[in-house]
Amino acid sequence: YQRRVRDAIAAATIFPNRKVVAIEGDSAFGFSACEVEVACRYSLPITFIVLNNNGIYRGISTLDRSKPIPTTAFVPEAKYELIIDAFGGQGYTANTVESLSTALDSALSNPLPTLVNIIMEPLTPIPKIVKEGH
């Protein structure tokens, strides 16, 4: 899973005049998040889209540190867009359909490397193509 960022960097290097889009969940993005620095260093035309449901398969809506935290849960609504901002790219957050449309339009038209952090409801059903426990 962590190959998507790497593959996007390779594609943008091979096709520098095309916008490349890498779509991954927050779990997969976590394995290679700092690789966006490479995209920023070389001004690669990549838009990273992070589907942020606060965890692996399903996250949690709130973090209650007085209770056991599931090992598959991440900090709710992590600000992944700030990672690319730190390296000189441009990050966007979307948590509604309207903000998603605006964020995608802005990210895809921006010549800088961009990242759209899509905040999703963590308890939505797992898509049929994903088996529980895998």
Short mmCIF file of all heavy atoms in Angstrom, two decimals, residues 54-124:
data_model
loop_
_atom_site.label_atom_id
_atom_site.label_comp_id
_atom_site.label_asym_id
_atom_site.label_seq_id
_atom_site.Cartn_x
_atom_site.Cartn_y
_atom_site.Cartn_z
N ASN A 54 -9.96 8.11 10.17
CA ASN A 54 -9.43 8.04 11.53
C ASN A 54 -8.90 6.67 11.93
O ASN A 54 -8.83 6.36 13.11
CB ASN A 54 -10.46 8.49 12.57
CG ASN A 54 -10.98 9.87 12.34
OD1 ASN A 54 -10.35 10.67 11.67
ND2 ASN A 54 -12.15 10.16 12.88
N GLY A 55 -8.53 5.83 10.96
CA GLY A 55 -7.97 4.56 11.37
C GLY A 55 -7.85 3.55 10.26
O GLY A 55 -8.06 3.85 9.09
N ILE A 56 -7.50 2.36 10.66
CA ILE A 56 -7.37 1.23 9.75
C ILE A 56 -8.74 0.60 9.62
O ILE A 56 -9.29 0.10 10.61
CB ILE A 56 -6.33 0.22 10.27
CG1 ILE A 56 -4.98 0.92 10.44
CG2 ILE A 56 -6.23 -0.98 9.34
CD1 ILE A 56 -3.96 0.10 11.19
N TYR A 57 -9.31 0.62 8.45
CA TYR A 57 -10.68 0.20 8.15
C TYR A 57 -11.71 1.11 8.81
O TYR A 57 -12.50 1.73 8.15
CB TYR A 57 -10.94 -1.27 8.49
CG TYR A 57 -10.09 -2.19 7.68
CD1 TYR A 57 -9.15 -3.01 8.28
CD2 TYR A 57 -10.20 -2.23 6.30
CE1 TYR A 57 -8.35 -3.85 7.52
CE2 TYR A 57 -9.41 -3.07 5.54
CZ TYR A 57 -8.48 -3.88 6.15
OH TYR A 57 -7.70 -4.69 5.41
N ARG A 58 -11.71 1.20 10.11
CA ARG A 58 -12.64 2.08 10.83
C ARG A 58 -11.89 2.75 11.97
O ARG A 58 -11.18 2.08 12.72
CB ARG A 58 -13.80 1.30 11.41
CG ARG A 58 -14.72 0.72 10.40
CD ARG A 58 -15.91 0.08 11.10
NE ARG A 58 -16.77 -0.53 10.12
CZ ARG A 58 -17.22 -1.76 10.20
NH1 ARG A 58 -16.93 -2.51 11.23
NH2 ARG A 58 -18.02 -2.23 9.26
N GLY A 59 -12.10 4.04 12.13
CA GLY A 59 -11.47 4.74 13.24
C GLY A 59 -12.48 5.01 14.33
O GLY A 59 -13.48 4.31 14.47
N ILE A 60 -12.21 6.04 15.08
CA ILE A 60 -13.10 6.46 16.16
C ILE A 60 -13.45 7.92 15.95
O ILE A 60 -12.71 8.66 15.29
CB ILE A 60 -12.45 6.25 17.55
CG1 ILE A 60 -11.08 6.93 17.61
CG2 ILE A 60 -12.35 4.77 17.86
CD1 ILE A 60 -10.38 6.84 18.95
N SER A 61 -14.58 8.34 16.47
CA SER A 61 -15.01 9.73 16.30
C SER A 61 -14.36 10.67 17.30
O SER A 61 -14.10 11.83 17.00
CB SER A 61 -16.53 9.83 16.43
OG SER A 61 -17.14 9.11 15.39
N THR A 62 -14.11 10.17 18.50
CA THR A 62 -13.47 10.98 19.54
C THR A 62 -12.41 10.13 20.23
O THR A 62 -12.50 8.91 20.26
CB THR A 62 -14.48 11.47 20.59
OG1 THR A 62 -15.13 10.34 21.18
CG2 THR A 62 -15.53 12.38 19.97
N LEU A 63 -11.43 10.80 20.78
CA LEU A 63 -10.35 10.12 21.47
C LEU A 63 -10.53 10.30 22.97
O LEU A 63 -10.36 11.40 23.49
CB LEU A 63 -9.00 10.70 21.01
CG LEU A 63 -7.75 10.00 21.49
CD1 LEU A 63 -7.71 8.55 21.00
CD2 LEU A 63 -6.53 10.75 20.98
N ASP A 64 -10.93 9.24 23.64
CA ASP A 64 -11.13 9.26 25.08
C ASP A 64 -9.97 8.50 25.71
O ASP A 64 -9.95 7.27 25.74
CB ASP A 64 -12.47 8.62 25.45
CG ASP A 64 -12.77 8.65 26.94
OD1 ASP A 64 -11.87 9.04 27.73
OD2 ASP A 64 -13.89 8.29 27.32
N ARG A 65 -8.99 9.23 26.20
CA ARG A 65 -7.77 8.61 26.73
C ARG A 65 -8.00 7.89 28.06
O ARG A 65 -7.13 7.16 28.54
CB ARG A 65 -6.67 9.65 26.88
CG ARG A 65 -6.25 10.23 25.54
CD ARG A 65 -5.08 11.18 25.69
NE ARG A 65 -4.89 12.01 24.52
CZ ARG A 65 -4.29 11.65 23.40
NH1 ARG A 65 -3.84 10.43 23.29
NH2 ARG A 65 -4.15 12.50 22.39
N SER A 66 -9.20 8.03 28.65
CA SER A 66 -9.49 7.32 29.90
C SER A 66 -9.94 5.88 29.61
O SER A 66 -10.09 5.09 30.54
CB SER A 66 -10.58 8.05 30.69
OG SER A 66 -11.82 7.99 30.02
N LYS A 67 -10.16 5.55 28.35
CA LYS A 67 -10.58 4.21 27.94
C LYS A 67 -9.52 3.61 27.03
O LYS A 67 -8.74 4.35 26.41
CB LYS A 67 -11.91 4.28 27.20
CG LYS A 67 -13.04 4.79 28.05
CD LYS A 67 -14.32 4.86 27.23
CE LYS A 67 -15.45 5.43 28.08
NZ LYS A 67 -16.67 5.61 27.29
N PRO A 68 -9.50 2.30 26.91
CA PRO A 68 -8.54 1.69 25.98
C PRO A 68 -8.79 2.21 24.54
O PRO A 68 -9.93 2.28 24.09
CB PRO A 68 -8.84 0.19 26.07
CG PRO A 68 -9.51 0.02 27.39
CD PRO A 68 -10.27 1.30 27.64
N ILE A 69 -7.73 2.57 23.88
CA ILE A 69 -7.83 3.07 22.50
C ILE A 69 -7.58 1.90 21.57
O ILE A 69 -6.55 1.21 21.69
CB ILE A 69 -6.79 4.19 22.26
CG1 ILE A 69 -7.06 5.36 23.22
CG2 ILE A 69 -6.83 4.66 20.80
CD1 ILE A 69 -5.94 6.38 23.25
N PRO A 70 -8.49 1.64 20.63
CA PRO A 70 -8.27 0.53 19.69
C PRO A 70 -6.96 0.71 18.93
O PRO A 70 -6.60 1.82 18.55
CB PRO A 70 -9.46 0.63 18.73
CG PRO A 70 -10.48 1.45 19.45
CD PRO A 70 -9.73 2.36 20.36
N THR A 71 -6.24 -0.38 18.74
CA THR A 71 -4.95 -0.29 18.04
C THR A 71 -5.11 0.11 16.58
O THR A 71 -4.13 0.53 15.96
CB THR A 71 -4.20 -1.63 18.11
OG1 THR A 71 -5.04 -2.66 17.55
CG2 THR A 71 -3.85 -1.98 19.55
N THR A 72 -6.30 0.00 16.04
CA THR A 72 -6.53 0.39 14.65
C THR A 72 -7.02 1.82 14.51
O THR A 72 -7.31 2.27 13.40
CB THR A 72 -7.56 -0.56 14.00
OG1 THR A 72 -8.77 -0.51 14.76
CG2 THR A 72 -7.03 -1.98 13.92
N ALA A 73 -7.13 2.54 15.61
CA ALA A 73 -7.64 3.91 15.58
C ALA A 73 -6.49 4.92 15.54
O ALA A 73 -5.45 4.71 16.14
CB ALA A 73 -8.50 4.18 16.80
N PHE A 74 -6.72 5.99 14.80
CA PHE A 74 -5.78 7.10 14.74
C PHE A 74 -6.39 8.31 15.43
O PHE A 74 -7.57 8.32 15.75
CB PHE A 74 -5.46 7.48 13.29
CG PHE A 74 -4.81 6.38 12.49
CD1 PHE A 74 -4.95 6.36 11.12
CD2 PHE A 74 -4.06 5.38 13.08
CE1 PHE A 74 -4.36 5.36 10.36
CE2 PHE A 74 -3.46 4.39 12.33
CZ PHE A 74 -3.60 4.38 10.96
N VAL A 75 -5.60 9.35 15.63
CA VAL A 75 -6.12 10.59 16.19
C VAL A 75 -7.23 11.09 15.27
O VAL A 75 -7.02 11.22 14.06
CB VAL A 75 -5.00 11.66 16.29
CG1 VAL A 75 -5.57 13.00 16.69
CG2 VAL A 75 -3.93 11.21 17.27
N PRO A 76 -8.42 11.33 15.80
CA PRO A 76 -9.53 11.77 14.94
C PRO A 76 -9.21 13.05 14.17
O PRO A 76 -8.64 13.99 14.71
CB PRO A 76 -10.68 11.99 15.93
CG PRO A 76 -10.36 11.07 17.06
CD PRO A 76 -8.86 11.11 17.18
N GLU A 77 -9.57 13.03 12.91
CA GLU A 77 -9.44 14.18 12.00
C GLU A 77 -8.02 14.74 11.98
O GLU A 77 -7.80 15.95 12.00
CB GLU A 77 -10.47 15.25 12.33
CG GLU A 77 -11.89 14.75 12.19
CD GLU A 77 -12.94 15.82 12.39
OE1 GLU A 77 -12.61 17.02 12.39
OE2 GLU A 77 -14.11 15.44 12.54
N ALA A 78 -7.03 13.84 11.89
CA ALA A 78 -5.63 14.27 11.81
C ALA A 78 -5.45 15.24 10.65
O ALA A 78 -6.10 15.11 9.60
CB ALA A 78 -4.73 13.05 11.62
N LYS A 79 -4.60 16.20 10.82
CA LYS A 79 -4.39 17.29 9.85
C LYS A 79 -3.29 16.92 8.85
O LYS A 79 -2.25 17.57 8.78
CB LYS A 79 -4.03 18.58 10.59
CG LYS A 79 -5.01 18.97 11.66
CD LYS A 79 -6.31 19.41 11.07
CE LYS A 79 -7.24 19.92 12.16
NZ LYS A 79 -8.61 19.89 11.75
N TYR A 80 -3.52 15.90 8.04
CA TYR A 80 -2.52 15.46 7.07
C TYR A 80 -2.14 16.56 6.08
O TYR A 80 -1.02 16.57 5.58
CB TYR A 80 -3.02 14.22 6.32
CG TYR A 80 -3.17 13.02 7.21
CD1 TYR A 80 -4.42 12.51 7.52
CD2 TYR A 80 -2.06 12.40 7.77
CE1 TYR A 80 -4.57 11.42 8.35
CE2 TYR A 80 -2.19 11.31 8.60
CZ TYR A 80 -3.45 10.81 8.88
OH TYR A 80 -3.58 9.73 9.71
N GLU A 81 -3.05 17.49 5.82
CA GLU A 81 -2.75 18.57 4.88
C GLU A 81 -1.61 19.46 5.36
O GLU A 81 -0.92 20.10 4.56
CB GLU A 81 -4.01 19.41 4.60
CG GLU A 81 -4.48 20.28 5.74
CD GLU A 81 -5.28 19.56 6.82
OE1 GLU A 81 -5.43 18.32 6.77
OE2 GLU A 81 -5.76 20.26 7.73
N LEU A 82 -1.36 19.48 6.66
CA LEU A 82 -0.28 20.31 7.19
C LEU A 82 1.10 19.74 6.87
O LEU A 82 2.09 20.47 6.85
CB LEU A 82 -0.44 20.48 8.70
CG LEU A 82 -1.71 21.21 9.15
CD1 LEU A 82 -1.75 21.32 10.67
CD2 LEU A 82 -1.81 22.58 8.50
N ILE A 83 1.16 18.44 6.60
CA ILE A 83 2.43 17.82 6.24
C ILE A 83 2.96 18.43 4.95
O ILE A 83 4.12 18.83 4.87
CB ILE A 83 2.30 16.29 6.13
CG1 ILE A 83 1.98 15.69 7.49
CG2 ILE A 83 3.56 15.67 5.52
CD1 ILE A 83 1.61 14.22 7.46
N ILE A 84 2.13 18.52 3.94
CA ILE A 84 2.60 19.08 2.67
C ILE A 84 2.84 20.58 2.79
O ILE A 84 3.75 21.12 2.17
CB ILE A 84 1.65 18.72 1.51
CG1 ILE A 84 2.42 18.84 0.18
CG2 ILE A 84 0.39 19.55 1.52
CD1 ILE A 84 1.78 18.11 -0.97
N ASP A 85 2.05 21.27 3.61
CA ASP A 85 2.28 22.70 3.84
C ASP A 85 3.68 22.92 4.41
O ASP A 85 4.37 23.88 4.05
CB ASP A 85 1.26 23.27 4.83
CG ASP A 85 -0.13 23.43 4.24
OD1 ASP A 85 -0.28 23.38 3.00
OD2 ASP A 85 -1.08 23.63 5.03
N ALA A 86 4.10 22.03 5.31
CA ALA A 86 5.41 22.16 5.95
C ALA A 86 6.56 22.10 4.95
O ALA A 86 7.62 22.67 5.19
CB ALA A 86 5.58 21.07 7.01
N PHE A 87 6.34 21.42 3.83
CA PHE A 87 7.40 21.26 2.84
C PHE A 87 7.27 22.23 1.66
O PHE A 87 8.05 22.16 0.72
CB PHE A 87 7.42 19.82 2.31
CG PHE A 87 7.78 18.82 3.38
CD1 PHE A 87 6.93 17.77 3.67
CD2 PHE A 87 8.98 18.91 4.07
CE1 PHE A 87 7.26 16.84 4.64
CE2 PHE A 87 9.33 17.98 5.04
CZ PHE A 87 8.46 16.94 5.33
N GLY A 88 6.28 23.11 1.70
CA GLY A 88 6.14 24.10 0.64
C GLY A 88 5.07 23.80 -0.39
O GLY A 88 4.91 24.56 -1.36
N GLY A 89 4.34 22.71 -0.21
CA GLY A 89 3.20 22.43 -1.07
C GLY A 89 1.96 23.13 -0.52
O GLY A 89 2.06 24.01 0.33
N GLN A 90 0.81 22.71 -1.00
CA GLN A 90 -0.44 23.33 -0.55
C GLN A 90 -1.41 22.24 -0.11
O GLN A 90 -1.71 21.33 -0.88
CB GLN A 90 -1.07 24.14 -1.69
CG GLN A 90 -2.38 24.81 -1.34
CD GLN A 90 -2.20 25.91 -0.30
OE1 GLN A 90 -1.41 26.81 -0.49
NE2 GLN A 90 -2.92 25.81 0.80
N GLY A 91 -1.89 22.35 1.12
CA GLY A 91 -2.83 21.38 1.65
C GLY A 91 -4.23 21.93 1.74
O GLY A 91 -4.43 23.14 1.92
N TYR A 92 -5.21 21.06 1.58
CA TYR A 92 -6.62 21.41 1.65
C TYR A 92 -7.33 20.39 2.52
O TYR A 92 -6.95 19.23 2.56
CB TYR A 92 -7.26 21.40 0.25
CG TYR A 92 -6.57 22.29 -0.75
CD1 TYR A 92 -5.52 21.80 -1.53
CD2 TYR A 92 -6.96 23.61 -0.91
CE1 TYR A 92 -4.88 22.62 -2.45
CE2 TYR A 92 -6.33 24.44 -1.83
CZ TYR A 92 -5.29 23.93 -2.59
OH TYR A 92 -4.65 24.75 -3.49
N THR A 93 -8.41 20.82 3.17
CA THR A 93 -9.24 19.92 3.97
C THR A 93 -10.65 19.94 3.41
O THR A 93 -11.14 20.99 3.02
CB THR A 93 -9.31 20.40 5.44
OG1 THR A 93 -7.99 20.49 5.95
CG2 THR A 93 -10.09 19.43 6.30
N ALA A 94 -11.27 18.78 3.38
CA ALA A 94 -12.66 18.68 2.95
C ALA A 94 -13.42 17.82 3.93
O ALA A 94 -12.98 16.72 4.26
CB ALA A 94 -12.73 18.08 1.55
N ASN A 95 -14.55 18.34 4.41
CA ASN A 95 -15.38 17.55 5.32
C ASN A 95 -16.86 17.62 4.96
O ASN A 95 -17.70 17.12 5.69
CB ASN A 95 -15.16 17.94 6.78
CG ASN A 95 -15.38 19.42 7.02
OD1 ASN A 95 -15.90 20.12 6.15
ND2 ASN A 95 -14.98 19.89 8.17
N THR A 96 -17.16 18.23 3.81
CA THR A 96 -18.52 18.24 3.26
C THR A 96 -18.40 18.06 1.75
O THR A 96 -17.32 18.23 1.18
CB THR A 96 -19.25 19.59 3.53
OG1 THR A 96 -18.56 20.63 2.81
CG2 THR A 96 -19.32 19.91 5.01
N VAL A 97 -19.51 17.74 1.11
CA VAL A 97 -19.49 17.58 -0.35
C VAL A 97 -19.08 18.89 -1.01
O VAL A 97 -18.27 18.90 -1.95
CB VAL A 97 -20.89 17.12 -0.86
CG1 VAL A 97 -20.93 17.14 -2.38
CG2 VAL A 97 -21.21 15.74 -0.32
N GLU A 98 -19.58 20.00 -0.50
CA GLU A 98 -19.25 21.30 -1.08
C GLU A 98 -17.76 21.61 -0.92
O GLU A 98 -17.10 22.06 -1.85
CB GLU A 98 -20.08 22.42 -0.44
CG GLU A 98 -21.57 22.31 -0.71
CD GLU A 98 -22.27 21.27 0.18
OE1 GLU A 98 -21.73 20.87 1.24
OE2 GLU A 98 -23.37 20.84 -0.21
N SER A 99 -17.22 21.37 0.28
CA SER A 99 -15.80 21.66 0.49
C SER A 99 -14.92 20.69 -0.29
O SER A 99 -13.81 21.05 -0.70
CB SER A 99 -15.45 21.67 1.98
OG SER A 99 -15.62 20.40 2.56
N LEU A 100 -15.40 19.48 -0.53
CA LEU A 100 -14.65 18.52 -1.33
C LEU A 100 -14.52 19.01 -2.76
O LEU A 100 -13.43 18.99 -3.34
CB LEU A 100 -15.30 17.14 -1.29
CG LEU A 100 -14.65 16.08 -2.18
CD1 LEU A 100 -13.19 15.87 -1.81
CD2 LEU A 100 -15.43 14.77 -2.06
N SER A 101 -15.61 19.48 -3.33
CA SER A 101 -15.58 19.99 -4.70
C SER A 101 -14.61 21.17 -4.82
O SER A 101 -13.79 21.22 -5.73
CB SER A 101 -16.99 20.42 -5.13
OG SER A 101 -16.97 20.93 -6.43
N THR A 102 -14.69 22.08 -3.88
CA THR A 102 -13.80 23.25 -3.88
C THR A 102 -12.34 22.84 -3.70
O THR A 102 -11.45 23.32 -4.41
CB THR A 102 -14.22 24.23 -2.77
OG1 THR A 102 -15.56 24.64 -2.99
CG2 THR A 102 -13.32 25.45 -2.74
N ALA A 103 -12.09 21.94 -2.75
CA ALA A 103 -10.72 21.50 -2.49
C ALA A 103 -10.12 20.78 -3.69
O ALA A 103 -8.97 21.03 -4.07
CB ALA A 103 -10.69 20.59 -1.26
N LEU A 104 -10.90 19.90 -4.32
CA LEU A 104 -10.39 19.18 -5.49
C LEU A 104 -10.12 20.12 -6.65
O LEU A 104 -9.09 20.02 -7.31
CB LEU A 104 -11.36 18.07 -5.91
CG LEU A 104 -11.41 16.86 -4.99
CD1 LEU A 104 -12.51 15.90 -5.44
CD2 LEU A 104 -10.06 16.15 -4.93
N ASP A 105 -11.04 21.04 -6.90
CA ASP A 105 -10.82 22.02 -7.98
C ASP A 105 -9.55 22.82 -7.73
O ASP A 105 -8.73 23.01 -8.64
CB ASP A 105 -12.01 22.97 -8.11
CG ASP A 105 -13.25 22.31 -8.71
OD1 ASP A 105 -13.12 21.21 -9.29
OD2 ASP A 105 -14.33 22.91 -8.58
N SER A 106 -9.38 23.28 -6.50
CA SER A 106 -8.20 24.08 -6.16
C SER A 106 -6.92 23.25 -6.26
O SER A 106 -5.92 23.71 -6.83
CB SER A 106 -8.33 24.64 -4.74
OG SER A 106 -9.42 25.52 -4.65
N ALA A 107 -6.95 22.05 -5.72
CA ALA A 107 -5.75 21.20 -5.73
C ALA A 107 -5.34 20.81 -7.14
O ALA A 107 -4.16 20.86 -7.49
CB ALA A 107 -5.99 19.95 -4.88
N LEU A 108 -6.32 20.45 -7.95
CA LEU A 108 -6.00 19.99 -9.30
C LEU A 108 -5.55 21.11 -10.22
O LEU A 108 -4.83 20.86 -11.19
CB LEU A 108 -7.20 19.23 -9.89
CG LEU A 108 -7.51 17.91 -9.18
CD1 LEU A 108 -8.82 17.33 -9.68
CD2 LEU A 108 -6.37 16.91 -9.34
N SER A 109 -5.94 22.33 -9.92
CA SER A 109 -5.52 23.46 -10.75
C SER A 109 -4.25 24.13 -10.23
O SER A 109 -3.67 24.98 -10.90
CB SER A 109 -6.64 24.48 -10.86
OG SER A 109 -6.93 25.05 -9.60
N ASN A 110 -3.79 23.75 -9.06
CA ASN A 110 -2.61 24.33 -8.45
C ASN A 110 -1.35 23.68 -9.04
O ASN A 110 -1.25 22.46 -9.05
CB ASN A 110 -2.66 24.13 -6.94
CG ASN A 110 -1.64 24.93 -6.19
OD1 ASN A 110 -0.55 25.19 -6.68
ND2 ASN A 110 -1.98 25.29 -4.97
N PRO A 111 -0.38 24.46 -9.51
CA PRO A 111 0.83 23.86 -10.07
C PRO A 111 1.76 23.26 -9.00
O PRO A 111 2.62 22.45 -9.32
CB PRO A 111 1.52 25.03 -10.78
CG PRO A 111 1.02 26.24 -10.07
CD PRO A 111 -0.38 25.92 -9.63
N LEU A 112 1.57 23.64 -7.74
CA LEU A 112 2.37 23.08 -6.66
C LEU A 112 1.92 21.65 -6.34
O LEU A 112 0.79 21.27 -6.66
CB LEU A 112 2.19 23.91 -5.39
CG LEU A 112 2.71 25.33 -5.37
CD1 LEU A 112 2.28 26.02 -4.08
CD2 LEU A 112 4.22 25.35 -5.51
N PRO A 113 2.75 20.87 -5.67
CA PRO A 113 2.27 19.61 -5.12
C PRO A 113 1.17 19.93 -4.09
O PRO A 113 1.30 20.89 -3.32
CB PRO A 113 3.50 19.01 -4.44
CG PRO A 113 4.66 19.67 -5.09
CD PRO A 113 4.19 21.05 -5.43
N THR A 114 0.10 19.18 -4.11
CA THR A 114 -1.03 19.45 -3.24
C THR A 114 -1.48 18.17 -2.54
O THR A 114 -1.18 17.06 -2.98
CB THR A 114 -2.22 20.05 -4.02
OG1 THR A 114 -2.59 19.14 -5.07
CG2 THR A 114 -1.87 21.39 -4.63
N LEU A 115 -2.22 18.37 -1.45
CA LEU A 115 -2.80 17.25 -0.72
C LEU A 115 -4.20 17.65 -0.28
O LEU A 115 -4.39 18.74 0.26
CB LEU A 115 -1.95 16.90 0.50
CG LEU A 115 -2.37 15.67 1.29
CD1 LEU A 115 -1.15 14.98 1.88
CD2 LEU A 115 -3.37 16.00 2.38
N VAL A 116 -5.16 16.77 -0.53
CA VAL A 116 -6.53 16.98 -0.07
C VAL A 116 -6.81 15.94 1.01
O VAL A 116 -6.78 14.74 0.75
CB VAL A 116 -7.56 16.86 -1.22
CG1 VAL A 116 -8.97 17.06 -0.69
CG2 VAL A 116 -7.25 17.85 -2.33
N ASN A 117 -7.05 16.41 2.21
CA ASN A 117 -7.37 15.56 3.35
C ASN A 117 -8.89 15.49 3.45
O ASN A 117 -9.53 16.45 3.86
CB ASN A 117 -6.76 16.16 4.62
CG ASN A 117 -6.99 15.31 5.85
OD1 ASN A 117 -7.28 14.14 5.76
ND2 ASN A 117 -6.86 15.93 7.01
N ILE A 118 -9.45 14.36 3.06
CA ILE A 118 -10.91 14.19 3.07
C ILE A 118 -11.31 13.53 4.38
O ILE A 118 -11.02 12.35 4.62
CB ILE A 118 -11.39 13.36 1.87
CG1 ILE A 118 -10.94 14.02 0.57
CG2 ILE A 118 -12.90 13.18 1.91
CD1 ILE A 118 -11.23 13.19 -0.67
N ILE A 119 -11.96 14.31 5.24
CA ILE A 119 -12.41 13.79 6.54
C ILE A 119 -13.70 13.01 6.31
O ILE A 119 -14.69 13.54 5.82
CB ILE A 119 -12.68 14.95 7.53
CG1 ILE A 119 -11.47 15.89 7.64
CG2 ILE A 119 -13.11 14.41 8.88
CD1 ILE A 119 -10.23 15.25 8.20
N MET A 120 -13.65 11.73 6.67
CA MET A 120 -14.80 10.84 6.45
C MET A 120 -15.37 10.38 7.78
O MET A 120 -14.65 10.36 8.79
CB MET A 120 -14.34 9.63 5.63
CG MET A 120 -13.75 10.00 4.29
SD MET A 120 -12.98 8.61 3.46
CE MET A 120 -14.36 7.52 3.28
N GLU A 121 -16.61 10.00 7.77
CA GLU A 121 -17.23 9.42 8.96
C GLU A 121 -16.53 8.08 9.24
O GLU A 121 -16.51 7.19 8.39
CB GLU A 121 -18.73 9.21 8.73
CG GLU A 121 -19.44 8.47 9.83
CD GLU A 121 -19.31 9.13 11.19
OE1 GLU A 121 -19.47 10.36 11.27
OE2 GLU A 121 -19.04 8.42 12.17
N PRO A 122 -15.93 7.93 10.41
CA PRO A 122 -15.14 6.73 10.67
C PRO A 122 -15.94 5.44 10.76
O PRO A 122 -15.39 4.36 10.57
CB PRO A 122 -14.44 7.03 11.99
CG PRO A 122 -15.24 8.09 12.64
CD PRO A 122 -15.89 8.87 11.53
N LEU A 123 -17.20 5.51 11.05
CA LEU A 123 -17.97 4.27 11.27
C LEU A 123 -18.83 3.87 10.08
O LEU A 123 -19.73 3.06 10.22
CB LEU A 123 -18.83 4.42 12.53
CG LEU A 123 -18.02 4.66 13.81
CD1 LEU A 123 -18.94 4.85 14.99
CD2 LEU A 123 -17.03 3.55 14.06
N THR A 124 -18.53 4.42 8.90
CA THR A 124 -19.28 4.00 7.72
C THR A 124 -18.96 2.54 7.43
O THR A 124 -17.88 2.05 7.77
CB THR A 124 -18.94 4.87 6.49
OG1 THR A 124 -17.53 4.87 6.31
CG2 THR A 124 -19.45 6.28 6.64
#
